[in-house]
Amino acid sequence: MNDSLLEVGKVLNTHGVRGEIKVQSWCDSPEVLCALKTVYIGRRAFSVLGGRVHAGHALLTLEGVDSMDTALALKNSVLLARREDMPVEEGAHFVVDLIGLQARHAETGEVLGRVTDVLEYPAHDIYVVEGEKRYLIPDVPAFVRAVRPEEGYIDFLPLEGMGE
């Protein structure tokens, strides 16, 4: 995948008979998808003509997708967006930029392993770190001390016994 494009959702189904698509958002909220001007499916760019949120999903109207049949052809497709079009709060990071980072102990500098996944939960995300042990580390300040993707690491302060 092109590094300037991010996976932002999945087309679940059609909505109605006029070509609207129902999208599962992989962003912080489905509103993010509704605000985009352009999305990509495969190598094809689509202008977003309209978007709204319904039952926790984004309903998008894309240029050139004007019937149930053309919308149905997009079912199960991954929706992409340009990195620069995605809003990011200061101090926040895209999950894709965290996978593969070295996980270090914040106090000792010991390498714990690598971040292999970030699990999303309602209260906070959980970092999955794989090394000699497997760690599940909550994304809260008490455990996550420094996130430095540009330098290739995250510093964690795991509790004794936190690793499996």
Side-chain angles (χ1 to χ4, degrees), residues 69-95:
D69 290 338
T70 54
L72 193 56
L74 301 177
K75 186 175 179 176
N76 295 318
S77 297
V78 173
L79 211 65
L80 306 165
R82 287 187 301 256
R83 182 181 284 268
E84 59 268 17
D85 292 344
M86 298 301 297
V88 181
E89 294 179 20
E90 189 170 332
H93 301 77
F94 295 115
V95 170

Side-chain angles (χ1 to χ4, degrees), residues 120-141:
E120 294 181 38
Y121 286 93
H124 49 260
D125 292 346
I126 304 283
Y127 290 95
V128 179
V129 174
E130 302 279 351
E132 285 186 32
K133 295 181 178 179
R134 181 173 191 251
Y135 297 87
L136 300 175
I137 304 174
D139 185 12
V140 295

Side-chain angles (χ1 to χ4, degrees), residues 33 51 54 111:
L33 298 181
H54 176 71
V111 175

Side-chain angles (χ1 to χ4, degrees), residues 2 7 19 35 38 55 74 86 92-93 100-101 105 107 110-111 114-116 121 126 131 133 139 151 155-156 163:
N2 183 335
E7 294 182 354
T38 305
L74 301 177
M86 298 301 297
H93 301 77
L101 292 181
H105 192 288
E107 291 179 346
E110 172 192 0
V111 175
R114 296 228 171 250
V115 176
T116 59
Y121 286 93
I126 304 283
K133 295 181 178 179
D139 185 12
E151 297 171 39
D155 281 345
F156 295 103

